Amino acid sequence: MKKILALVMAIMMMVVAAGCGGGNEKSSGSGSAAGGEKKITMGFSQIGAESEWRTANTESVKQAAKDAGIELQFSDAQQKQENQIKAIRSFIAQGVDIIAFVPIVETGWDTVLKEAKDAKIPVIVVDRDVKLADDSLYVAKIGTDSVKEGQNVFKWLDEYMKKNNKTPRAGGDQFQVVVLEGTVGSSVAIRRQEGFKNAMAESADGKKFNILASQTGEFTRQKGQEVMESFLKSDRDKIDVLFAHNDDMALGAIQAIEAAGLQPGKDITIVSIDGVKGIFQAMIDGKANCTVECNPLQGPLLMETAKKILKGEKVEKLVYVDEGIFPADVAEKTLPERKY
Ligand code: AHR
């Protein structure tokens, strides 16, 4: 009887040992990072591919995930918030380790982010901002300071007009400004406009500028061109300045300005936001005057932050990436160094 009992115990110990060994193999296999750690899965909802900037942002996130050994579930929302909400719900259903998303618009995220929180999946907001009743629904925000970008646009413009002794084309004592705004309801469009207007209101020179027209060009080259055509149709001989919320819309508008028989960058001063290669080339060609950088290379910081969160380390709630201002006179020297 004793012998049988000892045999049964020995068999049971072997089974337990084999079970433990099997677990270890699994965690260092295909679903694991090197060193036996479980591989992190991140669900990432991108808004689409509306601009040169967005393409660079997507590439940065994809490359950084590869470099960090993070498995990325990438979803393209084709510019629709409802698609982003669907994607986030599917990430929750799949049980990803962490969710990151670029909110196409500021509002409307409370319910789905509460669902992620209830499922204990941490959320990182990328690039744009969200407006929530409860900010604990996301752990961190990584992106850019849109208010500051708008302020920098006005400050540069004010200086430039003074330094170059510019006078309003149609006479009078005010420069007439047209604005191509970004996606309606997006934090970037709202805050860039706010930053620009506030800087104008606070400046001693603010009264020298008048916003003649302001309309969305949806952050795309084509819409930027179309809306600029309509601005020119009504006010061709009045417009002194174009402020475009992104470079792509400025590039579209340049074509409209040339088609209207005017010289972009000379008859109409052009300042935009992003810092993509296309606008650097336009500045070298004398067709644009300044770009205020909005840095899309947010992938490495996103992956680093995700790893910290999942290790239970404390992270900053809000991190802005570095950004510069590039007027036309530095474009030629700077273009070869540009990464996007
Ligand atoms: O959210 C960032 C903005 O979105 C960039 O300025 C623009 O180019 C993009 O599409």
Side-chain angles (χ1 to χ4, degrees):
M1 192 59 188
K2 263 186 190 167
K3 270 186 188 167
I4 293 171
L5 216 65
L7 196 67
V8 169
M9 290 278 283
I11 291 170
M12 274 172 68
M13 279 170 77
M14 276 165 70
V15 168
V16 170
C20 292
N24 282 340
E25 258 173 46
K26 214 176 182 188
S27 69
S28 60
S30 63
S32 306
E37 277 175 36
K38 185 184 168 292
K39 191 165 189 174
I40 295 169
T41 301
M42 173 187 281
F44 182 79
S45 166
Q46 179 59 284
I47 59 177
E50 71 283 3
S51 62
E52 233 181 288
W53 188 100
R54 184 64 54 201
T55 306
N57 182 243
T58 295
E59 278 166 12
S60 170
V61 170
K62 286 185 175 173
Q63 188 57 49
K66 247 189 219 158
D67 295 345
I70 290 178
E71 190 178 316
L72 194 73
Q73 305 277 343
F74 184 88
S75 170
D76 177 339
Q78 314 268 333
Q79 309 297 321
K80 289 201 175 104
Q81 183 180 31
E82 66 206 70
N83 290 346
Q84 290 202 281
I85 292 174
K86 263 189 220 154
I88 295 172
R89 290 208 166 113
S90 121
F91 297 148
I92 297 171
Q94 285 172 59
V96 298
D97 299 301
I98 193 155
I99 293 172
F101 79 114
V102 177
I104 184 153
V105 289
E106 266 192 336
T107 55
W109 304 103
D110 301 72
T111 308
V112 74
L113 295 192
K114 173 83 173 45
E115 290 167 25
K117 192 176 181 186
D118 290 345
K120 299 198 175 4
I121 301 176
V123 171
I124 305 177
V125 177
V126 184
D127 169 26
R128 300 185 179 176
D129 292 297
V130 283
K131 243 190 198 166
L132 300 167
D134 171 9
D135 275 343
S136 78
L137 295 183
Y138 68 95
V139 184
K141 150 82 204 276
I142 290 165
T144 56
D145 187 343
S146 307
V147 174
K148 194 164 158 211
E149 289 161 357
Q151 285 168 343
N152 285 340
V153 167
F154 180 78
K155 284 184 195 158
W156 174 85
L157 179 65
D158 189 18
E159 281 297 303
Y160 179 83
M161 300 310 251
K162 271 193 274 192
K163 227 169 63 192
N164 290 280
N165 299 316
K166 290 267 188 186
T167 51
R169 285 171 64 221
D173 50 12
Q174 277 190 316
F175 294 112
Q176 303 300 330
V177 181
V178 293
V179 184
L180 287 170
E181 299 173 26
T183 305
V184 175
S186 66
S187 66
V188 269
I190 296 166
R191 295 173 197 201
R192 284 172 183 174
Q193 190 82 342
E194 186 186 310
F196 182 85
K197 282 187 172 172
N198 288 350
M200 191 165 128
E202 284 159 18
S203 158
D205 294 327
K207 292 203 170 61
K208 288 190 199 152
F209 296 85
N210 173 51
I211 298 183
L212 186 64
S214 187
Q215 204 181 305
T216 183
E218 294 167 7
F219 279 134
T220 70
R221 211 170 278 208
Q222 196 188 329
K223 197 81 182 151
Q225 180 174 352
E226 282 168 27
V227 178
M228 191 69 205
E229 277 164 9
S230 80
F231 286 160
L232 288 161
K233 224 175 238 167
S234 357
D235 293 304
R236 182 191 177 279
D237 298 322
K238 277 195 203 155
I239 302 168
D240 298 295
V241 176
L242 164 65
F243 163 32
H245 283 192
N246 82 345
D247 292 342
D248 275 68
M249 292 188 292
L251 290 166
I254 286 172
Q255 296 187 35
I257 295 167
E258 286 180 322
L262 295 172
Q263 285 188 292
K266 295 188 179 68
D267 296 321
I268 299 181
T269 300
I270 300 179
V271 52
S272 52
I273 295 176
D274 275 358
V276 298
K277 284 184 182 166
I279 205 74
F280 274 83
Q281 192 52 56
M283 289 196 284
I284 293 168
D285 298 341
K287 297 180 180 184
N289 306 88
C290 181
T291 183
V292 169
E293 190 179 36
C294 172
N295 188 350
L297 309 179
Q298 300 163 5
L301 184 58
L302 170 62
M303 300 308 152
E304 191 192 317
T305 307
K307 283 188 170 179
K308 282 188 182 163
I309 292 170
L310 292 170
K311 275 188 199 150
E313 290 175 24
K314 213 172 148 33
V315 295
E316 295 285 328
K317 185 88 181 178
L318 177 63
V319 183
Y320 288 137
V321 288
D322 291 338
E323 311 192 272
I325 301 174
F326 299 96
D329 46 12
V330 302
E332 191 141 22
K333 186 175 160 280
T334 315
L335 179 58
E337 299 157 16
R338 297 301 294 165
K339 293 199 175 65
Y340 60 95

